[in-house]
């Protein structure tokens, strides 16, 4: 599990550099358009590709760092044990089914894109659209891998916390 977390961390930190390139590419598109009255479709699409890569490849990293949106009206008032239960059950009954649904929903879509070696429909656009669409499947892989780590983490916390609590009660009594 430690290897998965290291991989997740490495990918997340690596992909974070894409945001700098997105800003620079967007700046280049704006300068070319307004200063030189010329379009830059390939650069614009490149920024979109990188944006998609950030959103899909960093999903596991975001999960690892508890950065996904959570409506925690009740969660924040739960004990540590209650929070572990919510996270464990949420991983099992929400995260994993959503990952399966995404895979089921997009697999044929990605496969068809690969089958036709899909390219941009824009003149001067980028090729390899099928690689961009494949990021949907990498999203699922990153979430499932980190989800397994989270599942083990929360189950361990529940299991070992219970033992630690019973030892404390035994010492006090």
């Amino acid at each position: 599990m430690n290897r998965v977390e290291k991989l997740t961390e490495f990918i997340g930190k690596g992909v974070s550099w894409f945001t700098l390139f997105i800003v620079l590419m967007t700046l280049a598109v704006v300068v070319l358009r307004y200063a030189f009255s010329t379009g830059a479709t390939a650069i614009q699409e490149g920024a979109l590709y990188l944006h998609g890569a950030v959103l899909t490849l960093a999903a596991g990293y975001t999960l690892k760092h508890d950065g996904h949106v959570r409506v925690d009206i009740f969660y924040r008032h739960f004990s540590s044990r209650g929070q572990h239960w919510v996270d464990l059950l949420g991983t099992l009954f929400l995260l994993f089914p959503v990952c399966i649904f995404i895979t089921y929903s997009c697999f044929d879509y990605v496969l068809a894109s690969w089958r036709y070696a899909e390219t941009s429909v824009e003149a001067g656009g980028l090729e390899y659209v099928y690689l961009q669409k494949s990021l949907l499947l990498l999203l699922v892989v990153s979430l499932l891998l980190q989800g397994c780590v989270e599942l083990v983490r929360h189950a361990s916390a529940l299991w070992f916390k219970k033992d630690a609590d019973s030892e404390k009660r035994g010492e006090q009594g």
Side-chain angles (χ1 to χ4, degrees):
M1 290 296 166
N2 194 24
R3 287 183 182 171
V4 172
E5 285 198 297
K6 285 182 180 179
L7 177 64
T8 299
E9 194 72 24
F10 177 77
I11 291 171
K13 287 183 177 181
V15 167
S16 71
W17 283 96
F18 290 0
T19 57
L20 173 63
F21 295 117
I22 293 169
V23 170
L24 295 174
M25 292 167 85
T26 303
L27 176 65
V29 168
V30 170
V31 168
L32 287 171
R33 179 175 298 144
Y34 293 107
F36 299 102
S37 297
T38 185
T41 304
I43 297 172
Q44 192 170 352
E45 283 188 359
L48 286 172
Y49 279 30
L50 287 178
H51 190 255
V54 169
L55 291 175
T56 54
L57 296 177
Y61 177 85
T62 306
L63 178 62
K64 178 180 186 275
H65 291 281
D66 202 24
H68 287 282
V69 173
R70 176 191 320 235
V71 179
D72 65 351
I73 296 168
F74 302 110
Y75 182 87
R76 65 179 163 205
H77 299 294
F78 289 168
S79 67
S80 175
R81 187 169 176 76
Q83 290 177 352
H84 284 297
W85 271 112
V86 168
D87 290 336
L88 179 96
L89 295 174
T91 300
L92 278 175
F93 297 114
L94 294 173
L95 178 66
F96 289 167
V98 165
C99 287
I100 292 167
F101 176 76
I102 292 171
T103 303
Y104 175 78
S105 298
C106 76
F107 191 79
D108 289 337
Y109 173 73
V110 173
L111 192 61
S113 186
W114 272 86
R115 192 175 297 129
Y116 300 112
E118 186 176 0
T119 61
S120 175
V121 295
E122 300 294 328
L126 295 176
E127 298 181 9
Y128 313 116
V129 170
Y130 54 94
L131 293 176
Q132 179 69 15
K133 289 183 178 182
S134 298
L135 291 175
L136 291 169
L137 297 176
L138 291 177
L139 162 77
V140 171
V141 170
S142 73
L143 283 174
L144 284 176
L145 285 173
Q146 189 59 40
C148 288
V149 171
E150 297 300 316
L151 194 65
V152 169
R153 175 181 293 125
H154 296 299
S156 295
L158 287 167
W159 181 267
F160 294 119
K161 178 76 172 162
K162 183 178 180 181
D163 291 343
D165 287 344
S166 63
E167 287 177 14
K168 285 180 187 176
R169 281 192 299 268
E171 291 172 5
Q172 292 173 353

